């Protein structure tokens, strides 16, 4: 009899526990662990990947086993266009990659990250806080299910890592230069005088060695982090586009989380953004020195000539909102005035 009472009590406890575990909290099921894959092209040796490791550790340790982020670096999980498709289709995915992949859905994002717009990280960072960009973020989530957690994972201005130096647009003629798979990049490099070849970054190391391309455009952090100095030694400082990643998550995945899980993600990614920015600023000079020690030469270029050539890019996108370029310039004027103070 005692045994029956004991088993009955155990059953009641078990049912109570399972009811608690399955109870919805702010719309999401707790009790089962939610696994979210974090995908990026950056290799482990790059700062973005290093800051992401900290984000993942922070989220996983704070969420008491209810949430697990799994990090896939170096393009070992679908990324870029494919990663963004997973997000749009509601996958349990966070992508850290170029803003151009959001622009495939909200075209004006290409306009706010266009060539020769910014002269400092601060100008760009201020732009991401503008009403103009807030409206684009809203469009991304409402129309396409792309929730943008950050637009601020900067990794440096992009310049030319090539087999030969380029100082003027004429020097670019005939050069096959890899660009990310994005019309913004293709148009920009074309306008600057080169022959752009779109391919995922992880393919570039062997593409240079096989002579498929003459080099790539990218930041000092990319140059050092991906060991491209082993292939090409001439770095011409065009600074034509800002290297910056967005952190995006599918809205469906986001809404399946509890308010607490959302808060943890928001806070840890903000810490990661700050960490990445601080380290990027600190590392740029160090890495430039490292590159010089590896035999890399740095060149200043005819910036006004390149910028004049690239101006045509702003006329190439029929899907951009009419007048967006003027709006961006007006915003930039305000930003520059504020930053001067
Ligand atoms: O690891 C690659 C990263 O540093 C740059 O990639 O595609 O923006 O040129 P991407």
């Amino acid at each position: 009899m005692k045994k029956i009472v004991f088993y009955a009590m155990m059953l009641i406890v078990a049912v109570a526990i399972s009811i608690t575990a399955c109870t919805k909290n702010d719309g999401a099921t707790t009790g089962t662990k939610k696994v979210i894959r974090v995908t990026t092209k950056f290799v482990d040796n790059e700062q973005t990947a290093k800051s992401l490791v900290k984000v993942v550790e922070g989220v996983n340790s704070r969420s008491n086993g209810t949430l697990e982020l799994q990090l896939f670096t170096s393009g070992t999980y679908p990324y870029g266009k494919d990663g963004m498709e997973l997000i749009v289709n509601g996958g349990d995915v966070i992508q850290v990659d170029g803003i151009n992949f959001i622009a495939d859905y909200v075209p004006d994002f290409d306009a706010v990250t266009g060539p020769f717009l910014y002269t400092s990280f601060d100008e760009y960072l201020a732009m991401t806080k503008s009403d103009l960009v807030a409206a684009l973020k809203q469009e991304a989530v409402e129309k396409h299910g792309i929730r943008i957690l950050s637009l601020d994972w900067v990794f440096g201005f992009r310049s030319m890592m090539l087999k030969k130096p380029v100082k003027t647009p004429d020097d670019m003629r005939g050069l096959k230069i890899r660009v990310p798979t994005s019309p913004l990049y293709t148009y920009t490099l074309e306008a600057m005088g080169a022959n752009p070849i779109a391919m995922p970054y992880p393919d570039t190391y062997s593409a240079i060695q096989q002579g498929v391309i003459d080099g790539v455009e990218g930041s000092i952090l990319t140059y050092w982090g991906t060991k491209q100095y082993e292939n090409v030694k001439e770095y011409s400082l065009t600074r034509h586009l800002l290297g910056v990643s967005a952190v995006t998550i599918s809205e469906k995945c986001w809404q399946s989380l509890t308010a607490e899980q959302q808060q943890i993600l928001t806070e840890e990614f903000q810490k990661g953004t700050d960490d990445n920015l601080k380290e990027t600023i600190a590392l740029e000079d160090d890495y430039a020195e490292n590159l010089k020690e590896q035999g890399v030469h740095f060149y200043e270029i005819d910036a006004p000539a390149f910028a004049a050539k690239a101006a045509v890019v702003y006329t190439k996108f029929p899907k951009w909102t009419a007048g967006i370029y003027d709006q961006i310039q007006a915003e930039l004027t305000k930003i520059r005035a504020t930053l001067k103070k």
Side-chain angles (χ1 to χ4, degrees):
M1 184 62 185
K2 263 188 188 165
K3 249 188 185 174
I4 292 172
V5 173
F6 176 75
Y7 285 131
M9 282 177 68
M10 290 299 285
L11 191 64
I12 290 166
V13 170
V15 169
I17 288 173
S18 81
I19 288 171
T20 313
C22 294
T23 300
K24 292 216 163 192
N25 176 6
D26 292 18
T29 306
T30 57
T32 49
K33 188 198 276 179
K34 179 88 174 175
V35 175
I36 303 176
R37 296 192 162 115
V38 182
T39 180
T40 191
K41 68 201 165 189
F42 291 91
V43 300
D44 295 333
N45 198 28
E46 289 183 273
Q47 185 54 48
T48 298
K50 290 178 187 172
S51 295
L52 283 175
V53 168
K54 294 186 199 168
V55 172
V56 167
E57 282 169 3
V59 170
N60 292 353
S61 76
R62 278 181 68 189
S63 54
N64 294 326
T66 67
L67 185 59
E68 183 186 340
L69 296 191
Q70 295 175 350
L71 178 60
F72 294 81
T73 55
S74 313
T76 48
Y77 194 75
Y79 65 102
K81 260 185 197 311
D82 296 340
M84 195 52 74
E85 235 167 70
L86 292 178
I87 286 176
V88 169
N89 289 325
D92 289 335
V93 172
I94 292 175
Q95 165 148 289
V96 183
D97 208 328
I99 288 158
N100 52 287
F101 297 112
I102 312 175
D104 290 341
Y105 298 87
V106 182
D108 286 350
F109 268 113
D110 271 342
V112 286
T113 49
F116 298 100
L117 267 189
Y118 304 104
T119 58
S120 69
F121 295 173
D122 283 343
E123 287 179 2
Y124 169 75
L125 296 173
M127 182 66 80
T128 66
K129 291 174 186 66
S130 65
D131 290 347
L132 192 157
V133 170
L136 300 183
K137 284 165 89 171
Q138 204 173 333
E139 185 181 336
V141 72
E142 283 174 3
K143 288 202 185 152
H144 306 285
I146 304 167
R147 176 171 287 268
I148 299 170
L149 296 180
S150 170
L151 289 165
D152 296 355
W153 284 59
V154 174
F155 55 98
F157 281 99
R158 303 172 75 109
S159 291
M160 302 295 163
M161 308 172 210
L162 301 170
K163 290 178 181 164
K164 62 168 224 174
V166 289
K167 293 187 180 169
T168 66
D170 276 351
D171 296 337
M172 299 276 275
R173 208 166 293 144
L175 287 177
K176 290 172 285 176
I177 302 177
R178 174 271 173 180
V179 289
T181 45
S182 145
L184 178 68
Y185 283 75
T186 301
Y187 290 149
T188 299
L189 269 281
E190 241 166 35
M192 289 171 74
N195 179 8
I197 299 191
M199 69 172 72
Y201 195 91
D203 299 343
T204 60
Y205 191 92
S206 59
I208 296 177
Q209 291 192 334
Q210 289 159 9
V212 177
I213 50 174
D214 297 305
V216 302
E217 48 78 59
S219 73
I220 288 178
L221 270 76
T222 295
Y223 209 157
W224 180 252
T226 63
K227 300 196 166 135
Q228 214 61 274
Y229 55 83
E230 292 173 351
N231 291 327
V232 282
K233 304 256 187 216
E234 314 304 332
Y235 196 46
S236 303
L237 297 164
T238 48
R239 302 183 183 95
H240 53 283
L241 287 159
L242 180 62
V244 59
S245 306
V247 180
T248 47
I249 182 170
S250 90
E251 179 63 359
K252 189 171 168 212
C253 176
W254 182 256
Q255 292 305 338
S256 75
L257 302 173
T258 64
E260 191 190 353
Q261 289 170 331
Q262 291 176 350
Q263 190 184 342
I264 291 171
L265 277 182
T266 305
E267 287 173 4
E268 293 303 317
F269 270 102
Q270 186 54 52
K271 279 191 219 163
T273 307
D274 299 341
D275 180 61
N276 178 67
L277 182 63
K278 187 182 82 200
E279 294 297 333
T280 295
I281 292 167
L283 288 171
E284 277 194 319
D285 289 347
D286 291 356
Y287 285 180
E289 284 313 308
N290 294 353
L291 288 166
K292 284 176 192 164
E293 279 166 24
Q294 294 296 327
V296 172
H297 308 111
F298 284 63
Y299 304 91
E300 285 301 334
I301 51 103
D302 184 350
F306 277 110
K309 287 275 180 200
V312 69
V313 173
Y314 291 94
T315 66
K316 297 246 178 203
F317 291 84
K319 288 187 182 162
W320 285 3
T321 301
I324 186 80
Y325 181 72
D326 293 338
Q327 281 179 50
I328 291 168
Q329 287 301 336
E331 195 62 49
L332 258 176
T333 306
K334 276 195 275 170
I335 288 171
R336 287 183 179 136
T338 312
L339 289 174
K340 251 191 191 163
K341 283 180 194 160

